Amino acid sequence: MSTLPVLKPGDTIGILGGGQLGRMLALAAAELGLNCHIYAPEEDSCAFQVVRDKTCAEYDDEPALERFAAAVDIIIYEFENIPAATAGFLQFHKPVLPNPNTLAIVQDRLPEKEFVTGLGIGTAPFAKVDSLDALKAAIARLDAPAVLKTRRLGYDGKGQARINAPEDADAAWKAIREKPAILEKFIPFEREISVVAARGRSGEVAAYEAIENEHRQHILHRSTVPAQIPQALADEAVAVATRIAEALGYIGTLAVEMFVVQADGKRRLLVNEIAPRVHNSGHWTIDGATASQFEQHIRAVAGWPLARPRRLGRVEMINLIGREVNDWAKYLAEPGTSVHIYGKGDVRPGRKMGHVTRVLPEAGF
Ligand code: AMP
């Protein structure tokens, strides 16, 4: 399907995935007069609550996919692990954005790392691991400490095992259930940052400044902007994300997660991961910038000009994970704090239930 229509208000965007990212994309689309149709297999998908049109079906249900495609003008996705076959099937019926080739690269940590290093951009040293013997050889080459990561379907630290010494190989290989993997050298980073950038159909890129991210138990806890790094490094981070978006021929919002490492008094960036979608570390843009990452994604896929977002102050975003959502009333009572609750029924440990954003005057820091 090659013709890519320029959308107009009243048109419908199909979104694969029914989580909070789909929900916030649909809310942003609604503000621009666009409808969204959410397709997700889980009946209690929180994105269903904010749209008129929904399909609750499995990703391999071809008749349901066909009906969905017929009902929308373009198709986007809110998470990168939708089966490649689903994106491939839908592409015959309606344009799928961002380009499914991007999915093929970023769904698998090995081509993702090869793509990034192929651009001359640094990553943690890595090795392909297909067997226990290959793991042992990789540990001998890269040296412990290291992190074993499944190539596919890992997120928030899932599908990962830490290797502190060569003797940990057997346990780590079992822990990731003997799946195709990569071994990465453990990076003693100074801090973690990300850059959220949007690329429009005409190739223009609008990036937010570098964001500083703090994880707890592998889950994003807090993002602050601007990141506390030298300006030249922050500019380099934006250049890295721009380069990646351009090399992918990407249309939409993407995020690039990076480690800041210090060696011999010099700071360097290593790319950890590319997210071909709006990203948790960009949620601050709803309240802390003149245009959000969600609006930018919608503008880009619709074929509309991107906004040139400005930051409204120094911003802090805190995720409400699991039972932390029960503090909603406390945050509501804080002047200047915006509260976002995703409408997920079950409060489960590690589940992202909402977030809060504080926008503080620049001078106050
Ligand atoms: P990932 O699923 O690859 O994004 O990893 C989740 C988190 O684990 C990252 O945000 C880091 O905090 C940590 N991590 C991942 N890879 C490494 C590494 N090679 N060295 C040190 N920490 C890592």
Side-chain angles (χ1 to χ4, degrees):
M1 191 80 198
S2 53
T3 46
L4 197 48
V6 173
L7 301 191
K8 49 189 189 322
D11 285 346
T12 301
I13 299 177
I15 304 181
L16 295 167
Q20 67 269 18
L21 301 180
R23 178 180 168 109
M24 290 186 270
L25 280 167
L27 291 170
E31 291 199 338
L32 295 167
L34 292 158
N35 303 313
C36 286
H37 183 147
I38 300 283
Y39 187 111
E42 303 85 9
E43 255 170 50
D44 61 350
S45 296
C46 69
F48 283 155
Q49 296 164 9
V50 304
V51 292
R52 188 191 56 194
D53 303 322
K54 49 200 111 161
T55 298
C56 187
E58 297 298 327
Y59 288 122
D60 59 0
D61 181 341
E62 293 191 354
L65 289 170
E66 253 174 41
R67 283 194 299 275
F68 168 70
V72 304
D73 296 291
I74 58 165
I75 297 168
I76 67 175
Y77 43 88
E78 61 120 38
F79 76 129
E80 60 272 42
N81 288 325
I82 51 160
T86 304
F89 178 82
L90 287 169
Q91 242 191 329
F92 284 108
H93 299 273
K94 283 285 154 70
V96 177
L97 290 168
N99 179 346
N101 291 343
T102 297
L103 282 181
I105 295 173
V106 304
Q107 277 182 345
D108 184 330
R109 291 185 192 272
L110 184 63
E112 179 182 42
K113 283 256 179 337
E114 288 168 346
F115 166 76
V116 173
T117 53
L119 295 176
I121 298 168
T123 66
F126 63 96
K128 179 180 172 192
V129 171
D130 284 331
S131 64
L132 183 58
D133 282 347
L135 174 58
K136 288 180 178 164
I139 298 172
R141 182 157 78 77
L142 295 180
D143 259 345
V147 190
L148 184 65
K149 301 180 176 180
T150 55
R151 283 170 54 177
R152 291 179 166 273
L153 300 176
Y155 67 98
D156 287 348
K158 294 189 173 72
Q160 296 192 14
R162 175 83 186 253
I163 290 176
N164 292 317
E167 304 81 78
D168 296 343
D170 293 72
W173 182 236
K174 282 210 184 79
I176 65 152
R177 296 170 190 218
E178 310 188 356
K179 300 244 171 72
I182 60 168
L183 185 73
E184 267 181 45
K185 195 156 176 61
F186 181 81
I187 304 297
F189 51 78
E190 180 192 273
R191 61 189 85 225
E192 289 187 86
I193 62 167
S194 56
V195 170
V196 173
R199 184 167 178 275
R201 285 205 206 158
S202 59
E204 79 273 28
V205 174
Y208 299 95
E209 291 152 271
I211 304 157
E212 187 157 337
N213 300 316
E214 204 184 300
H215 292 81
R216 283 191 185 165
Q217 279 138 19
H218 293 287
I219 302 174
L220 182 66
H221 163 60
R222 184 168 173 263
S223 293
T224 47
V225 206
Q228 296 302 294
I229 54 174
Q231 191 58 48
L233 198 68
D235 292 344
E236 191 187 325
V238 167
V240 162
T242 303
R243 183 91 202 286
I244 288 174
E246 283 170 350
L248 289 169
Y250 191 83
I251 296 172
T253 297
L254 100 180
V256 180
E257 297 177 25
M258 297 171 234
F259 299 136
V260 177
V261 290
Q262 243 205 88
D264 307 326
K266 272 202 176 151
R267 288 194 178 83
R268 250 175 12 108
L269 297 174
L270 298 178
V271 166
N272 177 39
E273 211 163 42
I274 303 167
R277 53 170 167 79
V278 287
H279 191 256
N280 195 168
S281 69
H283 290 0
W284 66 271
T285 60
I286 300 175
D287 306 294
T290 50
S292 77
Q293 61 165 348
F294 301 98
E295 174 175 344
Q296 291 289 70
H297 193 71
I298 297 296
R299 283 176 175 244
V301 298
W304 295 355
L306 296 178
R308 294 279 147 195
R310 270 184 307 104
R311 185 163 54 81
L312 297 170
R314 195 180 153 102
V315 192
E316 174 184 49
M317 186 286 310
I318 298 172
N319 268 337
L320 302 178
I321 309 284
R323 292 157 62 115
E324 287 164 7
V325 73
N326 297 335
D327 291 337
W328 58 271
K330 176 188 97 179
Y331 289 114
L332 278 175
E334 270 183 20
T337 297
S338 305
V339 179
H340 299 260
I341 311 273
Y342 305 148
K344 296 181 182 178
D346 284 348
V347 178
R348 291 197 293 267
R351 194 172 197 204
K352 290 176 177 167
M353 303 298 296
H355 72 267
V356 298
T357 307
R358 296 188 178 110
V359 183
L360 301 148
E362 200 82 60
F365 290 85

